[in-house]
């Protein structure tokens, strides 16, 4: 996903009026050096993580119900993180940049104007595709290379040749499948389409292939036309309607906004071997984003607070990214702004995005490709990171599975530069299977996160069980690599003090991946 921003990296003082949360772990944790697994995991408790989430919820409540990057709720989130880090003894850096923001700004509309005037229901029949350009168009509709029915292998709109003879000035009716939505949209625009209606693929009975596609166009989108997504059923109905004319109104936001990343560093003995851990701090415009991604942001923050007195072998650098929801912009700006020498100093990057989903399954980024063939190049050393997280779950007798190593979260810019990466994920809009319910509990048929990218992603929209385990996993990995990254990049260090025996991974459950229940990725722009 390309860069949609102008990097203007500066140091900015936080605004006044924010208050750091007191640690929930107590004075013992505040005074001591948490240099063993037992000490650190005792102090990184879910109560402290939840205090940070509560603060982020309060910020959203005071600022229109969201923490969208570039708006007041995000600025308040930055202030909170900065003040909390300062209270723990860090000197945080705020990196400002401008970016092109795409988001849903209000209700959109989809209407059939001819031959059977019908107004469709947003959220039931259709929704504006995230990162669509705004626009209000009424025109004739032309289907493009559709393939209906179960088992279809739709390639609709993936090739320029699909649009041979397409009437310029029409709305293109496209189908999900094979290539990214961005490619479909840009091919349609190049053929003269003035708007797009794209319906789900319908190749299986699964809800994520039948309902409104919860996907993005990516920050690279240059189509310049409004894009609406519909259910498979509605798309198939429209495809069979002769002389079809429709109104497509995408009520989306597209503007240049100023925003920022937050970084904090703990220097180690080895300043040329930097361990990074990060999470995006922003929410979508629709809600406060307390699971997505107040969960990862809060867990990284609490880990940073509780490890602040450590004397690490390797340098630790924590990051809270801006504008992730608009196309991974903050992390991409950061990495692209580093010199070759600065990139070479980064031993690895750990990413934590949605680690407390209420109907969760535990997933580790699948760098060894045991469940998924990765659509990106996996940097050497990433498998060792996956193994470490899997060993942690094994140590806790916690079942886990694979999440596609797709690069579609803030680790993308790192792996694009050959930096080893790994992370955790508890799921977004894909429904939980009966097999997964038998392993992790919860509700079969319901989304992993029923409030994904919605107003109801509030403080209540979190599994504290998943969040507690994964907050410990964050701290466990950071402490491990604070002492040694030798398994990842060959740079020797020291063992973590204590006598903990870390077991080999027990192995994924196999409910997702090839032949499994079907996994999703929270920034999936593809088929």
């Amino acid at each position: 996903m390309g860069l949609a921003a102008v990097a203007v990296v500066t140091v900015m003082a936080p605004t006044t009026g924010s208050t750091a949360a007191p640690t929930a772990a107590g004075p013992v944790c505040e005074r001591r050096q948490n240099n063993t697994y037992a000490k650190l995991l005792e102090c990184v408790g879910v109560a402290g993580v939840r205090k940070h989430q509560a603060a982020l919820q309060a910020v959203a409540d005071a600022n229109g119900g969201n923490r969208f990057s570039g708006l007041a709720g995000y600025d308040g989130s930055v202030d909170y993180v900065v003040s909390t880090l300062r209270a723990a003894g860090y000197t945080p850096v705020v990196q400002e940049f401008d970016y092109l923001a795409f988001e849903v700004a209000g209700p959109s509309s989809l209407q059939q104007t001819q031959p059977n005037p019908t107004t469709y229901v947003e959220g039931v029949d259709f929704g504006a595709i995230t990162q669509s350009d705004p626009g209000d168009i009424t025109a004739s509709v032309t289907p493009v290379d559709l393939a209906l029915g179960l088992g279809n292998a739709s390639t609709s709109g993936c090739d320029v040749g699909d649009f041979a003879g397409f009437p310029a000035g029409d709305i293109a009716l496209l189908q999900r499948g094979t290539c990214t939505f961005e490619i479909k949209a840009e091919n349609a625009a190049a053929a003269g389409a003035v708007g797009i209606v794209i319906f789900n693929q319908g190749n299986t009975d699964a809800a994520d292939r039948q309902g409104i596609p919860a996907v993005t166009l990516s920050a690279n989108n240059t189509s310049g036309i409004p894009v609406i997504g519909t259910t498979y059923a509605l798309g198939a109905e429209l495809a069979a309607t002769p002389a079809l004319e429709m109104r497509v109104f995408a009520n989306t936001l597209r503007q240049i906004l100023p925003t920022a990343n937050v970084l904090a560093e703990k220097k180690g003995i080895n300043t040329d071997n930097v361990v990074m851990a990060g999470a995006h701090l922003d929410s979508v415009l629709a809600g406060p984003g307390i699971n997505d991604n107040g969960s990862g942001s809060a867990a990284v923050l609490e880990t940073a607070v509780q490890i602040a007195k450590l004397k690490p072998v390797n340098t630790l650098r924590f990051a809270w990214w801006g504008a992730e929801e608009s196309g991974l912009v903050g992390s991409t700006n950061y990495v692209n702004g580093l010199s070759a020498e600065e990139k070479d100093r980064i031993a690895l990057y750990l990413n934590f995005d949605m680690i407390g989903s209420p109907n969760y399954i535990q997933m580790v980024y699948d760098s060894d490709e045991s469940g998924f063939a990765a659509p990106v190049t996996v940097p050497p050393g990433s498998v060792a990171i996956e193994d470490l997280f899997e060993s942690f779950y094994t140590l806790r007798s916690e079942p886990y599975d694979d999440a596609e190593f797709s690069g579609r979260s803030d680790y993308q810019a790192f792996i694009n530069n050959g930096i080893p990466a790994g992370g955790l994920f508890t799921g977004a809009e894909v429904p939980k299977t009966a097999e997964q319910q038998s392993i992790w509990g919860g509700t079969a048929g319901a989304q992993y996160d029923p409030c994904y990218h919605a107003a109801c992603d509030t403080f209540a929209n979190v599994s504290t069980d998943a969040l507690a385990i994964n907050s410990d996993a964050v701290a466990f990995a950071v402490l491990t690599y604070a002492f040694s990254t030798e398994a990842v990049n060959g740079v020797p260090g020291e063992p973590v003090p204590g006598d903990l025996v870390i077991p080999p991974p027990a192995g994924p459950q196999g409910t997702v991946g090839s032949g499994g229940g079907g996994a999703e990725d929270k920034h999936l722009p593809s088929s």
Side-chain angles (χ1 to χ4, degrees), residues 367 380-390 481 485-489:
S367 54
S382 301
V383 172
I385 299 172
E386 179 184 3
D387 287 346
L388 181 70
F389 283 123
E390 292 183 350
Y481 295 130
T485 62
E486 186 168 8
V488 177
N489 67 350

Side-chain angles (χ1 to χ4, degrees), residues 273-521:
N273 201 48
V274 179
V275 172
M276 288 197 66
H280 76 86
L281 185 58
D282 60 318
S283 76
V284 294
L285 199 62
I290 303 304
N291 182 43
D292 183 16
N293 183 37
S295 58
S297 291
V300 171
L301 183 57
E302 186 64 6
T303 296
V305 167
Q306 298 303 336
I307 212 168
K309 290 182 170 56
L310 181 71
K311 298 175 181 177
V313 174
N314 299 311
T315 295
L316 300 178
R317 187 178 300 155
F318 300 98
W320 292 265
W321 307 117
E324 187 267 2
E325 296 289 6
S326 294
L328 318 180
V329 181
S331 55
T332 303
N333 263 343
Y334 171 76
V335 175
N336 286 357
L338 298 175
S339 67
E341 293 76 13
E342 288 168 327
K343 292 173 187 174
D344 288 343
R345 291 176 60 228
I346 301 175
L348 58 92
Y349 173 68
L350 306 175
N351 193 63
F352 303 104
D353 190 353
M354 298 182 69
I355 61 171
S357 301
N359 197 33
Y360 71 94
I361 71 172
Q362 306 283 26
M363 289 183 278
V364 181
Y365 293 177
D366 184 26
S367 54
D368 66 7
E369 302 180 81
S370 61
F372 298 89
V376 295
T377 300
V378 179
S382 301
V383 172
I385 299 172
E386 179 184 3
D387 287 346
L388 181 70
F389 283 123
E390 292 183 350
S391 289
F392 172 80
Y393 283 139
T394 301
L395 182 67
R396 289 291 183 89
S397 300
E398 178 72 15
Y400 61 87
D401 226 321
D402 291 318
E404 184 183 27
F405 194 95
S406 63
R408 295 187 185 118
S409 187
D410 282 309
Y411 62 110
Q412 183 187 78
F414 291 89
I415 65 174
N416 285 350
N417 284 275
I419 297 168
L424 304 176
F425 181 48
T426 53
E429 86 273 15
V430 164
K432 177 176 278 187
T433 67
E435 182 183 12
Q436 291 165 350
Q437 180 191 38
S438 71
I439 297 169
W440 289 280
T443 304
Q447 294 179 182
Y448 299 134
D449 183 351
C451 291
Y452 174 60
H453 281 187
C456 57
D457 187 7
T458 64
F459 185 78
N461 186 53
V462 172
S463 164
T464 54
D465 289 339
L467 187 63
I469 292 168
N470 289 326
S471 297
D472 281 355
V474 173
F476 180 88
V478 170
L479 185 65
T480 299
Y481 295 130
F483 279 90
S484 178
T485 62
E486 186 168 8
V488 177
N489 67 350
V491 176
E494 299 175 8
V496 177
D499 55 2
L500 180 68
V501 177
I502 300 175
Q509 294 294 308
T511 69
V512 295
S514 301
E520 51 80 41
D521 184 275

Side-chain angles (χ1 to χ4, degrees), residues 1 4 11 90 137 142 172 184 234 297 305 323 388 459:
M1 195 171 297
V11 179
Y90 291 93
I137 297 295
T142 296
K184 295 174 188 282
L234 178 55
S297 291
V305 167
L388 181 70
F459 185 78

